[in-house]
């Protein structure tokens, strides 16, 4: 499976975060932000917010004496081996629950695994119900926000191969049924702008998704809400985008 070469903002942020974590891990007694800046070469405009995010997510902690940074509990818990997968799932689930409450919508992590669209984790609630998957998302990549977001990360041959197995089908009057038009829209989609689904998959539901790109992983972070809340969709999608980097980092470690 070939991927599109364009990096996303999330990917760049994750690379910055990994460089910071590598620098901190080299200093068992803690390290100052000035030293981190020298070792990583990251500009202050990026380093400050990155350190705040890593502390908030538990990957770093700040020592009382001198304000130096050290490796936090989240990174220690991830470790390696069989426990790592469980630790990652728990951390992602916790982050999804927080994000659900922040954006006021059901949220999802979806990945492209073995040629299929798969929702691997989600968080919903009584006031933020998940979308009614009346048609398996595997067969609706051309219509759903998460599916289209995953397809943008494939090259044209990868997309054609997917659609040769899952034919384009009309689900609503808004569903794109032309492969040429679909590919044109996917190619024109800026990687830093959320992908939207305005009742293309299901009447009465609007959705958004942003890429979760780290290395060869093809994934996305999505949300859904009833159409009566459509006026909140773009603001919620922007919030989703801002919170994508911590999620990618959890999946990349």
């Amino acid at each position: 499976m070939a991927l599109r070469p364009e990096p996303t903002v999330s990917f760049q942020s994750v690379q910055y975060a990994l460089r910071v974590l590598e620098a901190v891990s080299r200093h068992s007694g803690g390290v100052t932000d000035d030293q981190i800046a020298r070792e990583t070469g990251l500009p202050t405009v990026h380093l400050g917010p990155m350190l705040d995010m890593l502390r908030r997510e538990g990957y770093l902690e700040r020592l009382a004496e001198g304000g130096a940074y050290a490796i936090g509990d989240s990174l220690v818990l991830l470790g390696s081996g069989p426990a790592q997968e469980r630790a990652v799932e728990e951390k992602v689930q916790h982050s999804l629950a927080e994000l659900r409450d922040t954006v006021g919508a059901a949220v999802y992590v979806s990945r492209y695994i073995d040629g299929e669209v798969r929702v691997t984790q989600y968080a919903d609630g009584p006031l933020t119900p998940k979308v009614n998957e009346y048609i398996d998302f595997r067969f609706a990549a051309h219509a759903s926000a998460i599916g289209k977001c995953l397809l943008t990360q494939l090259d044209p041959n990868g997309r054609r191969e997917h659609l040769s197995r899952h034919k384009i089908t009309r689900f609503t009057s808004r569903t794109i049924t032309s492969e040429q038009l679909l590919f044109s829209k996917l190619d024109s989609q800026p990687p830093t702008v959320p992908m939207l689904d305005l009742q293309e998959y299901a009447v009465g539901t609007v959705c958004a998704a942003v890429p979760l790109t780290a290395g060869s992983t093809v994934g996305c972070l999505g949300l859904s809400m009833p159409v009566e809340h459509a006026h909140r969709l773009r603001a919620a999608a922007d919030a989703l985008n801002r919170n994508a980097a911590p999620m990618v980092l959890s999946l990349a470690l």
Side-chain angles (χ1 to χ4, degrees):
M1 176 184 63
L3 308 183
R4 293 179 66 187
E6 297 91 346
T8 67
V9 170
S10 296
F11 177 78
Q12 186 180 58
S13 298
V14 169
Q15 299 311 300
Y16 287 162
L18 292 175
R19 285 161 62 182
V20 170
L21 292 176
E22 288 172 358
V24 176
S25 67
R26 290 194 290 267
H27 301 270
S28 58
V31 59
T32 65
D33 51 0
D34 288 339
Q35 183 65 26
I36 294 172
R38 285 194 292 272
E39 293 188 18
T40 62
L42 296 181
T44 304
V45 66
H46 291 303
L47 183 59
M50 185 61 63
L51 290 171
D52 289 342
M53 183 273 284
L54 291 172
R55 287 181 63 197
R56 187 171 60 250
E57 295 295 317
Y59 293 115
L60 294 180
E61 61 179 36
R62 197 158 196 180
L63 305 179
E65 297 182 5
Y69 291 89
I71 292 299
D73 291 340
S74 289
L75 196 59
V76 173
L77 287 173
L78 287 180
S80 60
Q84 181 182 24
E85 185 175 347
R86 290 193 301 273
V88 170
E89 288 180 358
E90 290 173 2
K91 181 158 186 59
V92 169
Q93 194 63 41
H94 178 74
S95 297
L96 284 174
E98 289 187 336
L99 186 56
R100 172 201 61 204
D101 296 339
T102 297
V103 302
V107 291
Y108 315 76
V109 170
S110 181
R111 301 178 71 179
Y112 197 72
I113 303 173
D114 297 330
E116 301 292 355
V117 173
R118 300 188 188 278
V119 174
T120 55
Q121 288 180 254
Y122 68 90
D124 63 349
L127 300 179
T128 54
K130 67 183 181 71
V131 65
N132 174 28
E133 193 178 346
Y134 75 106
I135 294 172
D136 194 312
F137 285 135
R138 291 179 299 168
F139 309 128
H142 63 287
S144 65
I146 59 174
K148 289 187 293 180
C149 191
L150 294 174
L151 290 178
T152 62
Q153 299 172 61
L154 305 183
D155 68 6
N157 288 334
R159 296 174 192 165
R160 291 190 186 94
E161 193 280 330
H162 181 89
L163 295 178
S164 72
R165 292 182 287 110
H166 301 303
K167 303 298 184 183
I168 291 179
T169 303
R170 184 182 299 279
F171 301 135
T172 77
S173 62
R174 295 175 177 266
T175 305
I176 296 174
T177 56
S178 162
E179 182 178 297
Q180 182 178 1
L181 179 57
L182 176 65
F183 281 20
S184 175
K185 286 186 174 294
L186 295 180
D187 287 333
S188 64
Q189 175 75 15
T192 57
V193 175
M195 177 71 72
L196 300 181
D197 159 16
L198 304 177
Q199 302 188 85
E200 296 172 51
Y201 170 73
V203 174
T205 301
V206 294
C207 307
V210 297
L212 294 180
T213 305
S216 60
T217 298
V218 175
C220 70
L221 183 62
L223 67 81
S224 67
M225 59 178 61
V227 69
E228 54 264 32
H229 295 286
H231 61 282
R232 296 196 298 109
L233 181 62
R234 291 193 181 275
D238 289 340
L240 195 75
N241 212 6
R242 291 193 299 270
N243 287 274
M247 203 74 67
V248 180
L249 185 58
S250 295
L251 298 173
L253 289 170

